[in-house]
Amino acid sequence: MSICLKDFGVVCALGDSKAAVIAGLLTGSRSGLVLDSELPNAEPQYVGRVPDATFDKTTFNKTVSGLETDANGKMLTRNDKLGQLAYLQIADTLAPLIAEFGQQRIAVVIGTSTSGIEYGEQALKQKLATGEYPDNYHYKMQEMGTTAQFIADLCQAKGPVYSISTACSSSGKALVSAQALLEADLADVVIAGGVDSLAKLTVNGFKALASTATTQTNPFSADRDGINIGEAAALFVVTKEQGGIQLLGAAETSDAHHLSAPHPEGEGALRAMQAALAEAQLQGSQIDYVNLHGTGTPKNDDMEAKAMFNACGSEVLCGSTKGMTGHTLGAAGALEAGICWLLLHDEYNPEHKVPTNVSDGEVDNNLATINLVNAKANAERTAKNKLQTCMSNSFAFGGNNISLVIGKQQ
């Protein structure tokens, strides 16, 4: 069955509200990709950072999962703080649903890859310097399940609460898990999405894999040389309701090709796209816009262009938004599904535009022929018809793939 994506909350390098994020997307803003010298062990890297000033707008709970915190949330991990900023945007939508169905029927599923490891890094730094961990350090704050439990605590959800950690497909899979919980009648409402924060582990780990860009990332460009690590929180309110914006189809596949490299022909990516389209009962040519995984690495973009061409042809508009948000890892699937949600929502995108594929503009003639969005193509599309359906791809290490089809249901 299709499920309703009733509301959406988001914070990322483009902003801390739906309006700010869609504005940044449609103007092609790269202001959130900043050069950082604190996280890298060697030369500075560009990262997609949420400004610290953003957190000053929120008063955090004094007790979370039994851990005492102060009024400024000093004991909370950055993941928790990002998660709460997104949660506050959906709280008003959740309140009547909780009143109607009860806390036992509210579930939480969060995709993440970093969890609170940044907090653990800080604690270890003090331990190495002084011989003692900080007084407020607790190992559970860096466990994979901590952000899901934190969000459940915010609304006192008593249904299933768990995390998914499959690298960059994590939060796309959270939406599929939400669908499964609703279909199995284990919940009436699911808070589903992803949260990931910047940390030394990921910034330096991807650098060690020779996967980070020397400049701001350039998806699908002939000059592309890697990713910019980003951070984000993206949370959906998911229900069984009909109408509105729906998850029409979803499919997961596994390449089992290589630990970190994608299948060079995009076989698993193509199968995920085709199966998601089949579940949505759509042809590839009927999709109005595809948000590609588009990491800006040579191998990913090459194989995804092949998959995109074989699934949807050469006319469907497509592109990556990571040139504006950075690659938010475990949060990427939900963030980019949320970008599709914003594009389909008349309030936030009344002119039915789609984001350009922001890069340095150098054409790679070796890629399969796909219709990367530029200003001219966007204008031609919006003059013809309104947005009705979008697809979002997320492809992770180990060949762990997911494609989502999101559309309006009349």
Side-chain angles (χ1 to χ4, degrees):
M1 71 174 187
S2 65
I3 54 174
C4 180
L5 305 178
K6 190 175 181 66
D7 201 359
F8 174 62
V10 62
V11 57
C12 66
L14 285 172
D16 59 357
S17 68
K18 292 186 277 288
V21 170
I22 190 69
L25 287 167
L26 296 181
T27 57
S29 174
R30 306 195 92 182
S31 62
L33 297 183
V34 296
L35 195 61
D36 182 88
S37 58
E38 296 180 4
L39 292 170
N41 290 333
E43 64 271 12
Q45 291 184 42
Y46 280 92
V47 298
R49 180 182 290 280
V50 174
D52 288 342
T54 299
F55 299 117
D56 296 337
K57 300 176 183 179
T58 305
T59 300
F60 293 96
N61 292 355
K62 290 190 176 182
T63 302
V64 178
S65 302
L67 298 175
E68 295 298 321
T69 66
D70 64 18
N72 295 317
K74 290 183 179 178
M75 283 188 63
L76 298 180
T77 67
R78 192 172 179 89
N79 253 32
D80 294 337
K81 293 164 76 176
L82 289 168
Q84 185 156 343
L85 288 170
Y87 173 84
L88 290 173
Q89 298 171 40
I90 60 175
D92 288 346
T93 298
L94 276 169
L97 295 172
I98 295 170
E100 178 182 356
F101 295 110
Q103 295 168 341
Q104 299 293 337
R105 301 292 296 174
I106 311 300
V108 179
V109 187
I110 300 299
T112 188
S113 64
T114 62
S115 188
I117 194 63
E118 182 256 358
Y119 182 88
E121 290 173 352
Q122 294 176 6
L124 180 59
K125 183 178 180 179
Q126 179 170 321
K127 174 73 160 61
L128 293 173
T130 67
E132 300 290 339
Y133 285 111
D135 291 340
N136 61 5
Y137 172 71
H138 196 289
Y139 71 87
K140 72 185 297 182
M141 299 181 76
Q142 63 191 49
E143 290 184 338
M144 283 299 172
T146 187
T147 304
Q149 188 59 58
F150 170 77
I151 291 169
D153 288 348
L154 292 177
C155 62
Q156 294 300 295
K158 304 298 184 185
V161 176
Y162 58 94
S163 290
I164 295 175
S165 189
T166 55
C168 309
S169 61
S170 300
S171 53
K173 288 176 175 286
L175 289 173
V176 175
S177 291
Q179 183 180 40
L181 289 169
L182 294 172
E183 288 180 345
D185 198 32
L186 294 173
D188 290 301
V189 180
V190 185
I191 303 168
V195 188
D196 248 348
S197 49
L198 289 168
K200 282 182 172 290
L201 176 70
T202 48
V203 169
N204 293 292
F206 278 88
K207 175 68 173 179
L209 290 171
S211 294
T212 53
T214 54
T215 62
Q216 291 178 322
T217 187
N218 290 299
F220 299 99
S221 164
D223 297 333
R224 67 188 186 276
D225 65 346
I227 68 176
N228 299 147
I229 302 294
E231 60 183 356
L235 302 178
F236 287 92
V237 178
V238 188
T239 71
K240 302 174 185 178
E241 297 171 63
Q242 296 301 300
I245 298 173
Q246 300 261 323
L247 178 61
L248 300 175
E252 304 169 73
T253 64
S254 178
D255 290 349
H257 169 73
H258 187 275
L259 184 62
S260 59
H263 191 287
E265 299 303 313
E267 289 183 0
L270 174 60
R271 286 188 287 111
M273 296 176 74
Q274 289 174 331
L277 287 164
E279 184 173 283
Q281 298 182 345
L282 293 169
Q283 299 296 316
S285 59
Q286 293 177 283
I287 299 296
D288 294 313
Y289 166 73
V290 179
N291 187 292
L292 299 170
H293 187 56
T295 60
T297 59
K299 290 183 178 180
N300 176 89
D301 292 5
D302 180 67
M303 76 86 185
E304 190 174 13
K306 293 173 183 175
M308 175 65 198
F309 175 81
N310 288 324
C312 299
S314 61
E315 298 300 319
V316 173
L317 285 178
C318 59
S320 172
T321 48
K322 289 183 173 70
M324 295 176 276
T325 65
H327 189 350
T328 61
L329 305 180
L335 174 62
E336 292 167 25
I339 286 171
C340 292
W341 188 94
L342 290 168
L343 296 175
L344 290 165
H345 203 294
D346 290 337
E347 177 183 350
Y348 298 104
N349 188 24
E351 297 181 4
H352 296 268
K353 295 181 178 180
V354 293
T356 58
N357 182 75
V358 175
S359 73
D360 64 2
E362 292 296 320
V363 176
D364 186 349
N365 292 315
N366 293 316
L367 292 177
T369 304
I370 56 175
N371 195 10
L372 293 170
V373 183
N374 56 36
K376 179 182 178 182
N378 203 348
E380 290 175 349
R381 195 214 62 76
T382 54
K384 293 179 181 178
N385 59 294
K386 296 182 178 180
L387 283 171
Q388 293 293 329
T389 56
C390 295
M391 174 181 277
S392 181
N393 291 336
S394 296
F395 306 131
F397 279 178
N400 196 306
N401 310 305
I402 186 164
S403 290
L404 307 172
V405 177
I406 298 168
K408 294 179 182 178
Q409 190 177 74
Q410 303 302 325

